[in-house]
Amino acid sequence: MAYDSFSAFLAALEKAGELRRIGFPVATELEITEFADREMKSPGGGRALLFEKPTVNGTVSSFPLAINTMGSHRRMAMALGLGSIQELADQMQLILKAKPPTSLKHAWTLAMQGLDLLNAKPKHVKSGPCKEVVRRFVNGDQKMVNGPQASAPFTDHQSPITLPTLLDLPIQLCWPKDGGRFITFPCVHTRDPDTGERNLGMYRMQVYDAQTTGMHWQVHKVGARHGKRYYERNERMPVAVTIGGDPAYTFAATAPLPDGLDEILFAGFIRKKSVELVKCETIDLEVPADVDFVLEGYVQPGEMRPEGPFGDHTGFYTPLDDYPVFHLTAITHRRDAVYPCTIVGIPPMEDFYMGDASVRVFLPIFKMNFPEIVDMALPAEGVFHNLVFVSIRKQYAWQAYKIMHGLWGMGQMMFSKYIVVVDDDCDVHNTSEVLFRLCANTDPQRDTTFIKNPTDALDHAQTIATMGSHMGIDATRKLPTEGYTREWPELLRMDAAVTARVDDLFRKLSAPAPVSAAGS
Ligand SMILES: Cc1cc2nc3c(=O)[nH]c(=O)nc-3n(C[C@H](O)[C@H](O)[C@H](O)COP(=O)(O)O)c2cc1C
Ligand SMILES: [Mn+2]
C-alpha cells in the first residue's frame, strides 16, 4: 500500500497507537534528541514522536517535526505498507524463483525485470503537492566556489505564506559537540553524467547558512562516484534533496542496492504504485511529486569544506573532514509540510530497524548466490558494518570461509569488520546464542581469518581511514575433513514430549510458561 503523503503515514501510525504527539514547544537544539533517544531505547523502540511546536533558537517553527517513525519492527513494516518485512522478502524470492539466476549480476538483472513487470516504473507528472510553495533564490546561479553565501530575497512564489530558507526548517542540533545543525533524513537525488542513470542515497547535510550545506557522501557511495565524474568533466553537478513523502523513499535511499539499481524503481516496487516524478524548478532533475520538501541546488566541482563534528551512528563523534558543498537554488514544499528526521548515536537507534529491514529484504538475493545461507543478522551493537552473524547449512570443509569471502565481496557488505559464521540450528537474531556458539565452538587460532578490505569511512579504529583488516570467525561445528578427528559433541536438547507435557502443566498452573529452550 502506498502513502500519498508523509502525513498519511503519520495518520496510520496514530491510528495504530504508534504515535505520540507532543503539543508543547521543544527545542530542536538537543532537547528533541533527548526525547527521541529515550524513546528509541525503550523496549521495542518506543513510539514515533510528533513535535507539533519544535523551536529554532526559541521561535516555534512553521513546520512540525516527526522522529522515530521507523524505529521499531512494526513501524518499519508500516512505513513500507506491510504487515511484516517478511512479506517483501517473500516477493523478492518469488521474482527470483520464477527463473533461478546463475550469478549475482543475473540475480539483480532478474530482480530488475521483476520490478519492471510489477509496474514499478515511475510516471512523469506536470506538478504535485511538493510545489505548493516555491521559493527560488536569485543569486543561486551567481554563487560560485567559496563565494559569500548571503541569503537573497525571493523572486517569485505561489503562496502568500512566508517563504522559507533552510534556517526556517526545524533542523536539529543533535548532540552537544556537533559542528552545527544537520538534516538527518535527506534523500539525495543525483544522475550519472555519462549514462543518465539516477541514484537516490541518504547522505546527511550540515547546514552552514541559509543557502549552503555540506554533502556528506562518503567515498564509497554512488553520489560520490557521480560527483567524481562531474569534477572530471568540470561541470556543475545538479543535486536535488527530498525530505518526506512516502516513507518508502527514505527507506530506498538507505537500502544498500548495488550501484546501477534505481532506487526510484525499487520504491515503486515496494509501494506497489509508480512513483510520480515532477521536474525541479531550477535544475534538470526529477523528484517524487508527493514529498514534503525539495531542496534544489548544485555541487561545484572541487569545492570542499570542513564538515562535522557529528555525533554519529558509531556512537562517537565523527571528526571534521572535508566534504563537497551543496548550494541551494530553490526550496519547494507542501503547504502542510512535516519535517521527518532521526538521530543517530549509541545503539540501539531508529536506523537499526532500517538496516535490519534491508537485510531481510535482500536475504533472498544473498541466498540465491549462497544457497547454504539460512539467515543473517546485523546486531544493533555492530552499527551495521562492525558485526555480521550468518548461519549456514554446512556441507563441506571450510565452507564458512567461502561465505565470509563472498560477503566481503558484495557491495556494502565489504565493510563488515567481523563476520561470525554459525550452523543452521543457531538463531542469529539471538546474540546471546551466537556468542555461546562462538565461545564454545572455536579454537581462536584455527578458526579465524584476517583479510584486507575497504572499511566504512566512519570507522575510527583503523590507523588509516577507509582501509583496514577484517576478521572472519568460523563458529560452525568442525568436520573430520577439516582435520577435527575427534567426535564433535552433541548439543543438549530436551525431549519434545517432555517439553509439551511441561507446557501443559504450566497451563494448569494458569501461569505463563517460560519459553522452552528445546528444539529451537
Ligand atoms: C540515518 C542514516 C544516515 C546516513 N548518513 C550517511 C551519510 O551521511 N553519508 C553516507 O555516505 N552514507 C550515509 N548513510 C548510509 C547510506 O544512506 C547507505 O549506504 C546507502 O545505501 C547509500 O546509497 P548509495 O549506494 O546509492 O550511495 C546513512 C544511512 C542512514 C540510515
Ligand atoms: Mn544507489
Side-chain angles (χ1 to χ4, degrees):
M1 184 195 76
Y3 296 103
D4 61 10
S5 67
F6 182 70
S7 295
F9 170 49
L10 290 181
L13 290 180
E14 187 159 41
K15 202 169 154 208
E18 289 283 340
L19 182 86
R20 176 181 287 171
R21 282 176 187 269
I22 295 173
F24 45 80
V26 179
T28 53
E29 303 86 18
L30 308 181
E31 286 183 5
I32 285 180
T33 299
E34 181 60 20
F35 266 91
D37 193 29
R38 291 186 194 192
E39 202 70 31
M40 290 178 193
K41 290 195 170 51
S42 53
R47 278 190 276 178
L49 300 177
L50 179 62
F51 292 90
E52 295 174 329
K53 291 181 182 157
T55 66
V56 179
N57 298 327
T59 306
V60 175
S61 169
S62 328
F63 306 103
L65 175 155
I67 194 162
N68 203 26
T69 52
M70 297 191 231
S72 73
H73 291 303
R74 183 179 186 209
R75 287 197 299 283
M76 186 61 246
M78 285 181 71
L80 306 186
L82 303 165
S84 92
I85 292 294
Q86 191 54 38
E87 294 167 23
L88 189 58
D90 292 345
Q91 289 160 19
M92 280 308 249
Q93 176 106 43
L94 270 182
I95 292 171
L96 295 174
K97 266 213 173 136
K99 208 175 173 196
T102 51
S103 69
L104 180 62
K105 191 150 184 279
H106 188 202
W108 278 112
T109 312
L110 284 175
M112 289 289 284
Q113 287 166 351
L115 305 191
D116 270 4
L117 288 176
L118 294 166
N119 275 331
K121 275 201 172 144
K123 286 193 186 123
H124 303 271
V125 295
K126 287 256 176 300
S127 190
C130 72
K131 307 276 192 188
E132 281 169 2
V133 180
V134 175
R135 172 164 196 185
R136 290 194 186 87
F137 296 92
V138 276
N139 67 342
D141 278 332
Q142 292 139 33
K143 272 193 315 141
M144 297 296 286
V145 187
N146 295 329
Q149 323 291 327
S151 173
F154 58 86
T155 49
D156 63 346
H157 59 88
Q158 301 170 345
S159 156
I161 72 169
T162 319
L163 296 171
T165 72
L166 284 177
L167 304 186
D168 301 304
L169 268 54
I171 301 171
Q172 308 142 275
L173 175 72
C174 296
W175 294 102
K177 297 197 174 157
D178 280 4
R181 295 177 187 271
F182 285 81
I183 304 174
T184 51
F185 259 175
C187 300
V188 179
H189 304 249
T190 57
R191 214 175 35 211
D192 185 323
D194 300 321
T195 63
E197 265 173 5
R198 251 191 311 256
N199 191 66
L200 175 58
M202 175 166 294
Y203 320 115
R204 70 172 185 240
M205 294 160 69
Q206 177 174 359
V207 177
Y208 294 134
D209 59 47
Q211 271 179 256
T212 323
T213 76
M215 182 47 78
H216 190 260
W217 48 52
Q218 295 151 11
V219 61
H220 307 106
K221 305 299 168 74
V222 177
R225 183 174 68 70
H226 288 180
K228 187 163 179 286
R229 282 301 295 138
Y230 279 96
Y231 307 157
E232 285 161 358
R233 295 158 64 119
N234 199 27
E235 286 170 25
R236 182 181 273 193
M237 176 184 193
V239 178
V241 179
T242 59
I243 304 170
D246 190 324
Y249 311 145
T250 306
F251 174 69
T254 67
L257 300 185
D259 193 344
L261 201 146
D262 185 346
E263 284 88 357
I264 294 287
L265 207 67
F266 183 60
F269 162 66
I270 292 174
R271 67 205 291 266
K272 301 198 178 41
K273 189 174 172 192
S274 295
V275 178
E276 295 194 342
L277 293 176
V278 64
K279 279 199 163 70
C280 286
E281 301 291 306
T282 55
I283 49 171
D284 184 22
L285 285 175
E286 288 179 310
V287 291
D290 62 328
V291 297
D292 289 67
F293 296 93
V294 185
L295 312 180
E296 302 182 8
Y298 63 88
V299 165
Q300 189 68 29
E303 184 186 10
M304 303 286 267
R305 183 165 166 172
E307 197 262 8
F310 179 64
D312 226 312
H313 77 93
T314 55
F316 293 83
Y317 285 102
T318 305
L320 275 177
D321 197 4
D322 280 349
Y323 271 89
V325 179
F326 173 76
H327 296 278
L328 203 65
T329 53
I331 294 184
T332 81
H333 68 87
R334 281 179 178 266
R335 208 177 290 267
D336 60 351
V338 177
Y339 177 80
C341 59
T342 192
I343 51 160
V344 293
I346 295 172
M349 286 289 195
E350 179 172 14
D351 57 354
F352 163 72
Y353 297 96
M354 303 171 76
D356 187 70
S358 279
V359 175
R360 277 166 203 253
V361 171
F362 298 130
L363 190 60
I365 300 212
F366 287 119
K367 285 185 177 183
M368 278 293 163
N369 262 261
F370 306 112
E372 62 269 62
I373 289 184
V374 174
D375 204 354
M376 223 162 105
L378 275 54
E381 294 81 355
V383 297
F384 303 125
H385 304 310
N386 290 345
L387 189 57
V388 175
F389 296 156
V390 53
S391 58
I392 64 167
R393 217 167 279 116
K394 183 161 129 182
Q395 187 185 340
Y396 50 81
W398 283 20
Q399 200 165 357
Y401 297 101
K402 181 195 88 167
I403 293 302
M404 296 168 199
H405 294 295
L407 294 179
W408 279 322
M410 280 175 99
Q412 293 181 43
M413 291 300 290
M414 69 176 153
F415 300 133
S416 308
K417 191 158 27 173
Y418 298 96
I419 299 182
V420 181
V421 186
V422 292
D423 289 307
D424 57 338
D425 61 345
C426 174
D427 177 7
V428 291
H429 301 284
N430 181 342
T431 298
S432 161
E433 192 176 345
V434 175
L435 290 181
F436 161 63
R437 301 292 182 111
L438 189 158
C439 296
N441 282 357
T442 57
D443 171 285
Q445 190 163 35
R446 184 195 61 199
D447 293 330
T448 51
T449 188
F450 290 92
I451 61 138
K452 293 175 179 173
N453 231 26
T455 59
D456 179 23
L458 300 180
D459 193 331
H460 59 264
Q462 286 84 31
T463 310
I464 302 174
T466 75
M467 54 202 219
S469 70
H470 301 247
M471 187 186 197
I473 304 174
D474 175 5
T476 61
R477 47 177 93 76
K478 303 301 169 308
L479 305 173
T481 47
E482 292 174 314
Y484 189 90
T485 50
R486 289 185 291 149
E487 194 176 338
W488 196 267
E490 193 183 339
L491 199 62
L492 306 189
R493 294 286 193 211
M494 184 44 72
D495 287 341
V498 175
T499 312
R501 175 162 160 70
V502 172
D503 274 347
D504 274 351
L505 292 176
F506 263 105
R507 266 189 287 277
K508 278 199 186 119
L509 283 173
S510 60
V515 176
S516 168
S520 69

